[in-house]
Amino acid sequence: MGGTQNTRQALTGTRIRERRMALAMRQSDLAEDVGISASYLNLIEHNKRRIGGKLLLDLARVLKVEPSRLSEGMDATLGDMLRAAAQDNTGNFGPTPELDRTDELAGRFPGWTGAIAEQRKRIADLEGVIEGLQDRLGHDPVLAGSMHEVLSTVAAIRSTSNILVSDPDIDVNWRARFHRNLNEEAERLSESATALLAYFEGQGQSQSGLETPQEMVEAAFETAGHHFPRIEGTGSAGIEDTLTDMEAISSEAAAQLARTRLAVYAEDAARLPLDQILPIAEAADYDPQALLAMAGGDVAMVLRRLASLPEGGAAAVPAFGLAICDAAGALLFRRRINAFSIPRYGAGCALWPLYHVFSRPMMADMSVLSLPKGPLFQAWAVAQPTRSAGFGTAPVVEATMLLRALPEDRAPTQNPVEVGPGCQLCPRDACPARRAGGAIG
Amino acid sequence: MGSRVLLVEDEVNIFEAISFLLTRDGWEVRGHGNGATAIDEVARLEPDVLVLDVMLPGRSGLEILRDLRGAETTANLPILMLTAKGQSKDRDLALALGANAYLTKPFSNTEMVETVRRVAAEGAGNTAGGADQVTG
């Protein structure tokens, strides 16, 4: 992190110059406004003098920006959004985005930059909704049953009508029977189609289709950015008030599940207090290793805690994704992250470390994952017992995986492992782990 | 033809249409609508061809297929599976479990008759040829 921080600060002068030029100010005018000579400002703007303190504040005031915008460049979240937008660019409307000039873009055109980032976020949100619906369509028993009903009816109508049309000399009894069958099937098709439509309308009215307790809890955590200041401040005493604020929770089962997850959150927050871990995590560029000693070696706790840090603050916390599953592979909790799909219903990718770690409980794994569309992610994972087992009793083990997009300016420290979003959504046809068919029944 | 087809299908109107088509083509058609007892019916009737739906009450057609292929007397019985369009998972699994062919609902009558003839011919020749892949 130190290197990245220094590089950012080293470009403070460049950002001052870009901002001044964006405002069409003359160098001499800006220098006069902040009480320094134009030649000194020139040195600053060419990064030959480092500045801080009152002069930085004065420059920021005159240039009408936050001081951190000059010293640190753009907000890390904004930078991530712009880079994601650049990665999505297909080149249909011009040359490849100039990634090395992202800071300059943000400095000179903050309004347009915000608009691009907002569009990217909206696209990512919509992609998430589509993935969720795609995931659900493949695993929704109601929908599967309805579709089977419709197809069976259509099959009967098609075969029967074809017989009647192609065989004009058909026996009169058979003809009567087939006419009756056609009438029955037409009625049935009408009922099936109406029921299917009602089902979809019901989905549309149920607030983005939040049906299960897990979906409600996830939605509530997403709304809160997976960070709960009240619990950070008061510990488990803040759970009920936090729960009251969660609009997505609309059933007792969901409330109970949310309580369980918030209790884990409170325990993590008590063991790893925010004010203590934030500076350590930032100094280590949010490497989980740096917090392990504080957590007494509880890797899963460190991974969960990093995924609960407040984004968008002064500490420039990167976006994290999180997946927790049980030993049967069922997803218990997830925090979604852009460009890395974690299916709620279907199985994930068998090559994810989330599953590998079950073969070596308590042994933490760190890897770099390469997704089909190209982005690289750092992944830290561990499988740990969640409760002590008695003698002769099988332990209950859960795996936790923390994800973070590998920063653009950093080379992977190990060979990336090619993974996917789960076979249903994955385009890697030749993948050795590709699942053909599925369980019987 | 004169050979016997057992049609395991719980949708009565589909059964009647297929039954009419195959009877007209010279087959002796027997029907059964329950997955749970389908294997007993195969043992009792000893059909030359089995047309087997995937979605059945009592037991899945895929489970029945797997058990028939595992039994010595029915390991080579010509079997045509009926699956629903879009259920590629069922189709892939049916072929992996040893179905001779599959048809997806809704299918065409001509395809149904021709496919039954074809899998019957395969069975008569006792060949281990590849499965036919027919979509409706």
Side-chain angles (χ1 to χ4, degrees):
Chain A
M1 178 63 187
T4 309
Q5 184 97 10
N6 290 339
T7 307
R8 279 187 188 163
Q9 288 175 347
L11 293 172
T12 301
T14 305
R15 284 187 284 269
I16 291 170
R17 182 180 173 82
E18 285 163 359
R19 182 64 184 158
R20 175 177 64 74
M21 292 173 75
L23 297 176
M25 278 183 88
R26 293 194 313 178
Q27 198 175 46
S28 55
D29 290 341
L30 177 58
E32 188 181 338
D33 284 351
V34 297
I36 59 175
S37 69
S39 58
Y40 186 57
L41 178 57
N42 193 48
L43 290 171
I44 291 171
E45 287 191 353
H46 287 88
N47 302 307
K48 290 177 179 169
R49 292 290 184 277
R50 299 187 66 169
I51 63 159
K54 183 177 179 305
L55 180 54
L56 178 66
L57 295 177
D58 287 346
L59 283 165
R61 177 179 48 77
V62 176
L63 293 172
K64 298 183 176 63
V65 289
E66 288 294 317
S68 62
R69 190 65 175 267
L70 297 177
S71 60
E72 299 292 327
M74 81 186 94
D75 169 73
T77 307
L78 182 64
D80 287 345
M81 285 289 179
L82 290 177
R83 278 186 283 277
Q87 277 181 346
D88 287 349
N89 186 273
T90 55
N92 285 340
F93 296 100
T96 310
E98 298 84 354
L99 274 174
D100 56 334
R101 298 179 69 184
T102 311
D103 266 343
E104 184 185 341
L105 173 72
R108 295 184 66 178
F109 306 105
W112 278 110
T113 309
I116 294 170
E118 194 163 321
Q119 292 286 336
R120 179 63 189 82
K121 184 177 183 309
R122 186 167 161 70
I123 290 170
D125 288 347
L126 289 173
E127 284 175 341
V129 170
I130 291 169
E131 278 172 10
L133 289 174
Q134 202 172 358
D135 191 23
R136 172 177 281 185
L137 281 175
H139 296 84
D140 188 327
V142 176
L143 191 61
S146 296
M147 289 312 296
H148 183 263
E149 176 91 358
V150 167
L151 287 169
S152 293
T153 312
V154 170
I157 290 174
R158 184 178 178 186
S159 286
T160 308
S161 59
N162 183 261
I163 290 169
L164 288 170
V165 168
S166 62
D167 195 346
D169 301 324
I170 190 171
D171 174 77
V172 65
N173 291 325
W174 273 108
R175 179 184 297 277
R177 183 184 295 186
F178 284 146
H179 276 140
R180 190 187 63 230
N181 289 356
L182 270 182
N183 185 51
E184 281 178 12
E185 293 297 337
E187 288 282 332
R188 192 174 147 202
L189 184 60
S190 169
E191 286 169 14
S192 303
T194 306
L196 204 53
L197 191 63
Y199 174 74
F200 280 123
E201 281 178 352
Q203 292 286 304
Q205 286 163 2
S206 68
Q207 203 193 5
S208 307
L210 294 181
E211 295 291 334
T212 67
Q214 285 86 354
E215 285 174 325
M216 292 179 194
V217 172
E218 271 179 20
F221 272 63
E222 288 288 338
T223 303
H226 287 252
H227 183 72
F228 302 98
R230 196 177 273 130
I231 297 178
E232 296 286 349
T234 61
S236 58
I239 289 178
E240 287 305 318
D241 285 344
T242 301
L243 195 57
T244 306
D245 292 342
M246 291 179 161
E247 292 179 3
I249 304 293
S250 62
S251 75
E252 184 47 42
Q256 196 50 46
L257 183 62
R259 268 187 205 98
T260 304
R261 295 245 58 100
L262 289 174
V264 172
Y265 185 105
E267 193 181 328
D268 293 351
R271 287 271 301 278
L272 300 173
L274 189 63
D275 58 343
Q276 290 180 35
I277 63 166
L278 210 47
I280 297 172
E282 188 182 9
D285 191 19
Y286 300 92
D287 185 340
Q289 182 76 35
L291 300 176
L292 268 185
M294 273 186 78
D298 188 335
V299 181
M301 176 183 285
V302 170
L303 303 186
R304 289 193 303 266
R305 195 64 178 128
L306 282 171
S308 72
L309 296 181
E311 282 182 35
V317 176
F320 282 112
L322 187 76
I324 301 174
C325 76
D326 65 18
L331 192 70
L332 303 176
F333 187 74
R334 67 175 174 174
R335 177 175 189 174
R336 292 170 47 194
I337 182 170
N338 278 342
F340 197 114
S341 172
I342 305 170
R344 151 55 54 205
Y345 297 98
C349 173
L351 301 176
W352 287 354
L354 180 67
Y355 307 119
H356 285 180
V357 290
F358 278 115
S359 64
R360 295 162 298 170
M362 303 302 294
M363 188 164 179
D365 181 276
M366 182 179 70
S367 43
V368 176
L369 309 180
S370 168
L371 287 172
K373 283 187 180 174
L376 297 176
F377 282 82
Q378 288 173 290
W380 297 267
V382 70
Q384 287 179 195
T386 56
R387 65 193 72 153
S388 56
F391 292 104
T393 306
V396 177
V397 181
E398 286 179 6
T400 305
M401 176 171 74
L402 181 75
L403 295 163
R404 176 188 176 183
L406 190 72
E408 289 283 333
D409 57 353
R410 191 172 317 161
T413 52
Q414 50 193 294
N415 286 336
V417 180
E418 287 194 346
V419 300
C423 293
Q424 272 214 318
L425 304 171
C426 186
R428 294 191 205 276
D429 290 333
C431 173
R434 193 163 189 86
R435 207 176 299 111
I440 291 176
Chain B
M1 289 277 175
S3 301
R4 180 179 294 166
V5 173
L6 175 60
L7 172 55
V8 182
E9 168 63 78
D10 62 315
E11 298 286 344
V12 177
N13 293 343
I14 294 180
F15 170 78
E16 286 199 347
I18 297 175
S19 176
F20 177 86
L21 291 168
L22 295 179
T23 304
R24 194 176 56 178
D25 198 47
W27 295 88
E28 177 195 344
V29 180
R30 299 297 185 91
H32 192 72
N34 190 340
T37 50
I39 289 180
D40 295 338
E41 201 65 0
V42 170
R44 190 174 73 82
L45 293 172
E46 296 183 348
D48 299 294
V49 176
L50 176 65
V51 179
L52 181 61
D53 190 24
V54 168
M55 291 277 273
L56 290 167
R59 199 162 186 228
S60 150
L62 292 169
E63 289 180 297
I64 296 167
L65 171 66
R66 182 191 58 193
D67 288 356
L68 289 173
R69 286 296 179 245
E72 194 176 341
T73 52
T74 52
N76 296 312
L77 172 65
I79 300 177
L80 164 60
M81 297 295 297
L82 301 182
T83 69
K85 210 172 188 69
Q87 296 296 314
S88 54
K89 188 183 78 173
D90 287 348
R91 215 168 50 223
D92 295 344
L93 202 51
L95 293 178
L97 290 171
N100 295 73
Y102 61 81
L103 280 175
T104 55
K105 295 178 183 177
F107 43 79
S108 89
N109 292 350
T110 310
E111 284 168 339
M112 166 59 74
V113 173
E114 286 180 355
T115 309
V116 170
R117 284 183 191 172
R118 195 155 52 230
V119 297
E122 274 182 24
N126 202 21
T127 59
D132 294 317
Q133 300 176 17
V134 183
T135 56

